[in-house]
Every structure is written in structure tokens, then in C-alpha cells.
Amino acid sequence: EEQAGEERFNALIAEDSRIEPRDWMPEAYRKTLTRQMSQHAHSEIIGMQPEANWITRAPSLKRKAILMAKVQDEAGHGLYLYSGTETLGTPRDVLNDQLMSGKAKYSSIFNYPARSWADMGAIGWLVDGAAIANQVPLCRASYGPYGRAMVRICKEESFHQRQGFEILLELANGTAAQKKMAQDAVNNFYAPSLMMFGPPDGDSPNSVQSTAWKIKRFSNDELRQRFVGMIVEQVKILGLTLPDDELRFDEETGTWLHKELDWTEFKAVIAGSGPCNSQRLQRRRDAHNEGAWVREAAAAYAAKMARKTE
Ligand code: ACO
């Protein structure tokens, strides 16, 4: 039976069909998807923090309402992705414990501080922009629940990117001090957003297998270059610049070349010693503890309803 399962799995991958939760799949496929999807979910949840930090300080009621909606969207993405991950067999409380104990990874980018209102713009434009560039191909990931989740998530991410761009556009056309704030924010988030795509291809242990299984459709470097090509045009409309003197289009290879990124910093950030790692995890643990009464009440209510229907 196992052999039949494996043959069917290989055939589905070869014909670009989808693997569904009840289908037979290699344990390593289940494991790497659980890894990637849960890291993705954790990133959405931790990613709420840098922006939540600015909700009470948003410069107008309209900006505040938009930012609140955006942060709520991230919560939705996280919960949606946890549900998707659960279809692979790991319960949510286990995933959550992995995050809170510091065992699980989440995106490096959320360990950088959001210091000014312009950072809300740069996060929307660059961070959500990078997220879209990475996630649009994931809509075609071979695992059905993941690919389908991505369709909706990408739609919401593109609204997030536009709101970030619009914040920067307004600041860039404001006073000299506002324009400087916008430029500083772009300077701070440029390199960290390029690192979101992961290590260079030669240093990406998971890529070969994930590409063979059609979880990944493009390599880390390919997507990074594609993203750079997008923002190179958009930054002109903002009237700002990207902090990269080496940035140029290479006619020969048809790719964008950018400056060397600081991979030592990247490794330190994912190993837990970025500027905000301990703060982010502590906040997550506190929020979880503060929500204990909600979980208890929900469990008591569910038990009561179950008794009623017996
Ligand atoms: N931050 C933290 N960890 C990272 C990052 C990053 N930016 N990039 C790579 N890593 C980790 C990988 O998770 C992997 O660790 P692990 O093997 O212990 O799990 C290790 O570095 C080596 O990287 P790769 O072999 O290249 O890993 P992979 O093939 O999984 O590619 C990538 C990494 C591109 C991030 C992939 O996992 C992916 O596309 N994930 C889904 C998108 C996502 O998680 N986005 C989150 C940020 S966007 C947002 O939430 C708004």
C-alpha cells in the first residue's frame, strides 16, 4: 500500500496536481511543510508586534483605522496558516509551544524595531512587498491547503503594500523633516527586507528538495532579484533612493545585482540575538498568559455543549 501511495504521490507532483491532507505523502514532505508553514504562521503572529506598537500613535483617525485593520489581517493569516499546518498532523498548541520556547524560527525581519511612523510606511512597502514576491509563487505550492491559503493572504498583502507605499508617498512629499524620516525608514528596512528571502541559493539547505516537491517554485536569489527590480522603479515615484550604490541591471544575465548582504547579521538574528528577539518572544508569552482565561472559558463552554448533546 505504501508503494502505491508513493507512486501516486510522485505522479501528482509530476503532473502539477495537488497533495491533499488525506493523501499518502513522504514523512520528509510532511516535515518540511510543517516546518515552513509553521514558521510562516509564527511570522504573521510575531509580525503584528512592530506595527501594533504604532496603533496608539498613528497620526490620524483614518491612519489608525487602516493600521488596525492591517494588524488584524496578520492575525487572521497566522490563524489560517496554523489551521493549514494542523492538517499535516501537528496540533496548534504544540506549534505555539515551539514558538514561545524559542525553538521555532520566524522571519528575521520582525526582530528589527519600528522606531518612527515612517517605519510603518517602509514595513508596508518593503516588508509586505517582499512577502508578496515570496508568496505569490506559493499560491501554486503542491500542498493544497497551503496554496489555497496563500491566495487569500496575497490579496490582503497587496493592500498592505499599497498602504505602506502611500504613507511613504505622503511623507516624501511633505516637509523636509518628513521626507528625511521616510528616507531613513527606507534605509533601515532595505537590507533586512532583502534578507527575508533567505540565504543565498548556495547556502540554502532546504531549497533543492522543496523545489523538487514543488513547494518552492523559484529560488531565494531569483525572488530577491525580482523584488529588487520592482522596488527600483517604485522608489522613483516616491522621490526617494535605495541605500545601495552597487544596484544595477546586468544585461548579460538579465538580473538585478545588489550589494552583498550581511549574512553574519542574518545568522545572528535568526539565532536569537537580533535587536528585538527577546522582546518579541516575551510579548508573545505575556499575551498567551493573559489569554489563559479565554481558553479556559472556551473549553468549559465546549464541554458543556458536548454534555448537552449527549
Ligand atoms: N528569517 C528566518 N529564518 C529564515 C529566513 C528568514 N528570513 N530565511 C531562511 N530562514 C531559515 C529557514 O527557515 C531554514 O531554517 P530551518 O531549516 O531550521 O527551518 C534556514 O534558514 C535555511 O534556509 P532555506 O534552506 O533557504 O529555507 P527554505 O527553503 O525554507 O526557504 C523561505 C526560506 C524562503 C523563507 C521559505 O521558508 C518560505 O518561502 N517561507 C514562507 C514565507 C514566510 O515564511 N514568510 C514569512 C515572512 S512574511 C510575513 O509574514 C508578512
Side-chain angles (χ1 to χ4, degrees), residues 32 35-37 39-45 47 74 77 105-110 127-128 130-132 134-135 138 146 150 157 192 195-200 203-208 210 216 220 223 266 270:
T32 204
R35 175 189 68 80
Q36 176 168 329
M37 290 170 68
Q39 286 175 1
H40 195 161
H42 299 327
S43 304
E44 300 281 359
I45 296 296
E74 312 291 0
H77 298 173
K105 291 194 172 82
Y106 57 86
S107 184
S108 50
I109 192 72
F110 301 119
V127 175
D128 295 305
I132 298 169
N134 164 264
Q135 289 170 19
L138 288 174
Y146 193 30
M150 281 300 125
E157 294 292 358
M195 291 197 259
M196 287 172 69
F197 294 92
D203 209 10
S204 162
N206 299 301
S207 275
V208 172
S210 290
K216 280 180 127 163
N220 296 0
L223 292 176
F266 174 76
I270 62 178

Side-chain angles (χ1 to χ4, degrees), residues 105-211:
K105 291 194 172 82
Y106 57 86
S107 184
S108 50
I109 192 72
F110 301 119
N111 294 307
Y112 292 86
R115 292 200 179 92
S116 73
W117 173 252
D119 285 355
M120 294 302 97
I123 289 175
W125 178 47
L126 294 174
V127 175
D128 295 305
I132 298 169
N134 164 264
Q135 289 170 19
V136 165
L138 288 174
C139 296
R140 296 192 290 123
S142 57
Y143 189 56
Y146 193 30
R148 289 190 290 271
M150 281 300 125
V151 174
R152 169 168 174 182
I153 290 177
C154 284
K155 284 189 182 144
E156 294 182 349
E157 294 292 358
S158 45
F159 150 68
H160 297 170
Q161 192 199 18
R162 277 152 190 258
Q163 69 88 37
F165 186 83
E166 208 258 333
I167 289 173
L168 288 178
L169 189 63
E170 193 161 318
L171 290 173
N173 288 300
T175 64
Q178 285 171 328
K179 183 166 185 182
K180 182 175 179 304
M181 206 202 300
Q183 183 63 60
D184 287 346
V186 171
N187 293 351
N188 287 339
F189 280 93
Y190 173 73
S193 70
L194 294 193
M195 291 197 259
M196 287 172 69
F197 294 92
D201 294 348
D203 209 10
S204 162
N206 299 301
S207 275
V208 172
Q209 185 60 72
S210 290
T211 306

